Amino acid sequence: EIVLTQSPATLSLSPGERATLSCRASQSVSTDLAWYQQKPGQAPRLLIYDASNRATGIPARFSGSGSGTDFTLTISSLEPEDFAVYYCQQSSDYTFGGGTKVEIK
Amino acid sequence: QVQLVESGGGVVQPGGSLRLSCAASGFTFRDYGMHWIRQAPGKGLEWVAVIWYDGTTKYYADSVKGRFTVSRDNSKNTLYLQMNSLRAEDTAVYYCARDYKSRLFDYWGQGSLVTVSS
């Protein structure tokens, strides 16, 4: 089983700042990694797939990078609606990371 | 637009059974695989099960294998999750989600809460 470890658990930032979220896999997943955003009381939303491709309708301030075991989700300039929990997910057995909460500082 | 609406959640005693439904609209249901994913209160996401577009292939998480059964009725555009021998640790919001590229989840329902408690 591939384990995904996300860090940090919580990221405290102000609107307009850059957010950098990390996801590390216990073994190589090539580029088969996705990122989801979940706001309180809502279902998750697909942001990024295949490590770096934005899903339909996702703003350009969201970008993904990485391959193998180390991946990064970057939000270039935080908007108020971006404060949420972010999960990475790998596709070989559908597992998710534990999540990173991006909160307002 | 794509819509997924879960129903059937509620409170059930340990050892009991429950069946969730997910009504799909806004896309050709029979062309897509479908998933169930759950989230325990205050916790992260856990994939539960997948069923191929035609219902011929199904996979389950180890935590539910032998207790849960995923099925679908393409004539009714509906996905199901039959949950038997329920345990306290099955308490969660259960989401149905559409499969994308055979490995992702591109549309999600709003979720249905299942509480297993005596």
Side-chain angles (χ1 to χ4, degrees):
Chain A
E1 178 190 341
I2 298 174
V3 176
L4 297 178
T5 302
Q6 292 187 241
S7 62
T10 304
L11 198 52
S12 299
L13 295 167
S14 300
E17 289 194 294
R18 182 184 189 91
T20 304
L21 288 66
S22 174
C23 178
R24 177 164 289 177
S26 59
Q27 61 190 80
S28 177
V29 297
S30 184
T31 56
D32 290 339
L33 190 104
W35 292 92
Y36 297 81
Q37 176 195 65
Q38 187 178 34
K39 298 179 183 179
Q42 295 185 19
R45 176 175 70 147
L46 177 64
L47 295 177
I48 301 286
Y49 65 93
D50 292 346
S52 61
N53 294 302
R54 275 190 301 277
T56 303
I58 301 304
R61 64 181 181 272
F62 291 92
S63 63
S65 63
S67 65
T69 60
D70 290 299
F71 300 87
T72 300
L73 174 70
T74 301
I75 310 171
S76 59
S77 178
L78 283 164
E79 297 288 339
E81 61 268 27
D82 298 337
F83 291 92
V85 180
Y86 293 83
Y87 294 95
C88 58
Q89 177 244 330
Q90 60 85 17
S91 50
S92 68
D93 59 4
Y94 306 116
T95 54
F96 291 89
T100 290
K101 181 180 181 180
V102 178
E103 65 175 22
I104 299 176
K105 186 174 181 181
Chain B
Q1 72 281 18
V2 173
Q3 264 202 310
L4 299 170
V5 180
E6 300 95 338
S7 61
V11 180
V12 60
Q13 292 189 339
S17 298
L18 209 57
R19 188 177 83 155
L20 301 181
S21 299
C22 170
S25 61
F27 66 102
T28 306
F29 181 70
R30 64 178 180 271
D31 287 348
Y32 288 85
M34 296 294 296
H35 299 262
W36 287 100
I37 298 151
R38 68 184 181 183
Q39 186 170 36
K43 301 298 184 182
L45 299 165
E46 180 188 16
W47 173 79
V48 173
V50 61
I51 184 167
W52 258 222
Y53 69 99
D54 57 0
T56 57
T57 301
K58 307 171 186 180
Y59 295 106
Y60 299 92
D62 288 343
S63 57
V64 307
K65 204 172 293 182
R67 300 187 299 123
F68 289 12
T69 302
V70 60
S71 62
R72 64 191 296 158
D73 186 336
N74 285 345
S75 68
K76 296 182 178 179
N77 291 343
T78 303
L79 172 73
Y80 302 101
L81 185 67
Q82 177 66 44
M83 303 183 291
N84 299 330
S85 303
L86 283 161
R87 307 166 180 167
E89 55 265 36
D90 296 319
T91 294
V93 173
Y94 284 74
Y95 296 100
C96 62
R98 192 177 79 169
D99 181 84
Y100 180 56
K101 293 180 173 287
S102 299
R103 60 185 189 273
L104 305 168
F105 320 109
D106 63 348
Y107 287 93
W108 299 60
Q110 85 290 350
S112 183
L113 177 61
V114 173
T115 302
V116 184
S117 174
S118 55

